[in-house]
Every structure is written in C-alpha cells, then in structure tokens.
Amino acid sequence: MITCTVRYELDPDKLPEFEAYARFWIYKIPLMGGLHHGYHMPHEGPSDIAYCHFSFPSLADYERYRAEMWEDEECLAAYKLATDSKCIRRYDRSFTRPVLEGAKLGEGSA
C-alpha cells in the first residue's frame, strides 16, 4: 500500500470552497480504487494549512487513478472549482508506506 499525503496552503477566506473540494475527493477516491483517510482542516494554529491522506494498493494503482481522473468529468469539475475560487494557493505531495497495525515490542518487523 502507498499513501499520498497532500499539504495544502489555502486562502483562509475561502475555506468553505476548499471544504466542498475536499468532500468531493473523500467521495470520489473510493470509487476510483483508493481509500481516503480524510482531510484535516485548519482549526487551531495556522489558518491556511490543511492536509489530506489517501491510499492505493500500489504505486501502479495510484498512477492509474491519476491518468483516469484527467478523463473524469466530476474530477475536472472539482479542479475547476479549486481553480476558479483560488481556494488553494499551493500544495505539496509526498508518498509514504503506512503502518496501520499495532504490535507489542519485539512482535513487529523492524
């Protein structure tokens, strides 16, 4: 499994537009073969930073999703919302391998 983490820099005056964008992707990612772990909106601290995390079974599955989303009308409409509203100032993506199961010390792989 591979997890994509996106760090967003937002326009704090356009959080409702960004939240609509975020809710769309929470709905859409599972339909495209992934697992969305949610968006984390500004609350305490900086008012212009948000994060999201979503996973795909493999990097190949993620790359397939990336190719398909550019052909999907709903995905293109979501990008148009973000572009037209300018709710997202910039974003950075990183990829990690999640560790999702706990274990006593000495029982997990190291």
Side-chain angles (χ1 to χ4, degrees):
M1 179 181 284
I2 188 163
T3 297
C4 180
T5 298
V6 186
R7 179 189 181 275
Y8 293 94
E9 182 181 311
L10 307 174
D11 181 332
D13 293 326
K14 297 182 179 173
L15 293 181
E17 291 86 347
F18 180 75
E19 189 165 337
Y21 174 84
R23 288 180 182 280
F24 166 76
W25 288 109
I26 293 169
Y27 148 79
K28 190 68 173 185
I29 292 286
L31 299 176
M32 299 184 84
L35 172 65
H36 211 294
H37 306 290
Y39 277 79
H40 303 268
M41 301 289 291
H43 183 67
E44 293 291 327
S47 64
D48 64 344
I49 302 298
Y51 297 91
C52 86
H53 313 277
F54 58 94
S55 298
F56 279 87
S58 68
L59 184 57
D61 291 316
Y62 171 79
E63 290 171 348
R64 187 176 313 107
Y65 145 77
R66 290 286 294 173
E68 290 174 3
M69 75 179 192
W70 293 114
E71 303 296 324
D72 186 282
E73 289 183 26
E74 287 183 313
C75 295
L76 295 175
Y79 281 116
K80 183 171 175 19
L81 166 69
T83 301
D84 290 352
S85 70
K86 296 181 171 52
C87 61
I88 301 171
R89 291 183 175 156
R90 67 183 299 270
Y91 66 92
D92 299 300
R93 280 188 300 233
S94 62
F95 297 89
T96 56
R97 177 186 52 86
V99 176
L100 301 172
E101 296 177 7
K104 291 182 179 181
L105 287 177
E107 291 181 356
S109 63

